[in-house]
Amino acid sequence: MTQPNTAASLAARLVGRSGDYQGNEFFIKGDDFAIGRAFECHLMLNDEMISARHARIVHTGDQYELQDLGSTNGTFVNGEKIDKKVLRTGDMIMFGGLTFEFVRPVDVSRTMVATPEAMAELAKAKAAAGPGAASAPAAGHAAASTQVVKIPKPHPAHGHVAVGLIPGLLMGLLIAYVLPLLAAAFQMNKAGSLTGADLLNTLRSWVVGFPGMYTHEGWKIFGLRTVPGIIVLVGLALGPIVGGFLVRRIGRCGAFAAALGFSLGYVVVSFVAQAAVLKFAFAGISTYYPGIVSTLGAWGNMAVVLVYFAGIAFILSFFGALLSRTHNYQTHT
């Protein structure tokens, strides 16, 4: 027969009481137990209403003290917003939109807590007794044991899209630009004409025509029947995917916000780079955009291509952002 692990059974823990964490147990290890969305937290929670470093539990002597770390939506214990509070077994803790129960088997000081069941019993007692029920023994006992507090509705924590946007754009554009250069180098080396000047001219041509490379006309230039063509198309797809992944992972923001920020930045940086190579000669810049809707004229067609370009970048980066969904690596039973 397997003997129970006495140390584990007596350890302090947080037990999930809502959402994806319902019923899961997270043991509080060490003297400083961090909770939040950040990767380095001991308990990493995937909820946008929770701040990157939301709160921590400090173990000192025989006490566990919960401390809020200036979170956006606050930390609540039994319905009361707290800055810090010594925890007792049965305390119901709310971080953003998630609820956990603090359990410490060796702590038997609490006999009744403001659980949802206790609140329901209080409501039934008041309804049955009618007006003046506060003086009734049952209602009086319930009122003395629980406190009805209106908890403010949490709102999504402010993301940090800007924090992840710069590294995301740098990596996304680097992949989208470097892979085509590698394809060109491969092709020129095969032909025995690989020089630095040729690579610079290839880079210039790529920057000038880059926004149009995401259209069908751009794809036809390369195709999928050659190694360089495959490398170019992989770079065009992989750049925004990796960019969206990094924006969300580094910025700790929502997938939609990450994709929207990346796609807009991707289009703006590409357009500015194109204009800079052309020495900001805007009079002829529209000629570098493939004709999708010819009836709109050169400038109208250019606007359509840019919107299309942004849409493709959004879809790809949104997919990348979804791949960066954080998970809780804390062992639970």
Side-chain angles (χ1 to χ4, degrees):
M1 180 182 295
T2 303
Q3 297 297 322
N5 189 329
T6 305
S9 64
L10 296 179
R13 70 202 72 176
L14 295 176
V15 182
R17 296 304 184 202
S18 66
D20 295 336
Y21 303 92
Q22 177 75 37
N24 292 337
E25 294 186 348
F26 305 94
F27 292 96
I28 302 172
K29 301 176 181 179
D31 295 330
D32 193 340
F33 187 81
I35 302 161
R37 288 188 294 119
F39 183 79
E40 64 270 15
C41 290
H42 299 91
L43 177 54
M44 190 172 67
L45 301 174
N46 184 30
D47 189 311
E48 294 180 7
M49 294 178 181
I50 294 176
S51 300
R53 285 185 58 83
H54 195 100
R56 67 176 184 171
I57 297 176
V58 178
H59 182 203
T60 306
D62 196 40
Q63 293 184 334
Y64 287 86
E65 183 178 72
L66 175 64
Q67 300 175 359
D68 183 80
L69 298 178
S71 61
T72 300
N73 289 311
T75 301
F76 294 80
V77 177
N78 299 327
E80 178 184 356
K81 188 174 184 180
I82 59 99
D83 291 321
K84 59 182 180 178
K85 182 178 179 62
V86 175
L87 296 173
R88 293 188 295 167
T89 191
D91 280 338
M92 304 300 290
I93 307 169
M94 189 172 79
F95 307 111
L98 297 175
T99 301
F100 293 84
E101 180 182 358
F102 176 75
V103 176
R104 189 184 181 199
V106 296
D107 179 9
V108 295
S109 61
R110 170 157 299 216
T111 57
M112 184 174 182
V113 296
T115 61
E117 292 78 7
M119 301 294 283
E121 288 295 326
L122 173 62
K124 289 179 181 179
K126 286 185 176 181
S135 58
H141 175 73
S145 303
T146 60
Q147 181 181 7
V148 180
V149 179
K150 183 179 181 181
I151 301 175
K153 182 180 180 180
H155 55 86
H158 297 298
H160 302 284
V161 178
V163 175
L165 190 58
I166 293 178
L169 282 174
L170 286 175
M171 185 56 68
L173 288 167
L174 184 66
I175 292 173
Y177 275 54
V178 168
L179 285 184
L181 279 180
L182 291 176
F186 174 84
Q187 207 163 20
M188 287 186 288
N189 183 61
K190 192 175 181 180
S193 60
L194 178 61
T195 65
D198 289 336
L199 280 177
L200 286 176
N201 288 332
T202 301
L203 177 61
R204 183 183 184 278
S205 299
W206 183 254
V207 173
V208 170
F210 185 71
M213 291 299 103
Y214 281 87
T215 66
H216 179 62
E217 294 297 323
W219 296 342
K220 288 196 302 185
I221 296 175
F222 303 101
L224 288 173
R225 296 184 179 182
T226 64
V227 172
I230 293 173
I231 294 175
V232 169
L233 292 176
V234 168
L236 289 174
L238 193 59
I241 290 174
V242 173
F245 179 93
L246 290 177
V247 172
R248 188 180 187 196
R249 175 54 63 93
I250 297 174
R252 294 291 168 183
C253 55
F256 181 85
L260 182 62
F262 176 85
S263 58
L264 292 177
Y266 197 63
V267 172
V268 170
V269 172
S270 300
F271 179 76
V272 171
Q274 179 191 48
V277 170
L278 294 173
K279 298 180 180 179
F280 296 96
F282 290 106
I285 198 171
S286 61
T287 60
Y288 291 93
Y289 288 79
I292 295 181
V293 186
S294 56
T295 56
L296 295 178
W299 290 102
N301 180 74
M302 175 179 166
V304 171
V305 172
L306 286 174
V307 171
Y308 174 83
F309 178 28
I312 295 295
F314 177 85
I315 293 172
L316 292 171
S317 59
F318 185 74
F319 175 71
L322 291 178
L323 293 178
S324 74
R325 180 181 177 182
T326 55
H327 294 280
N328 181 16
Y329 295 100
Q330 174 76 19
T331 303
H332 61 269
T333 58

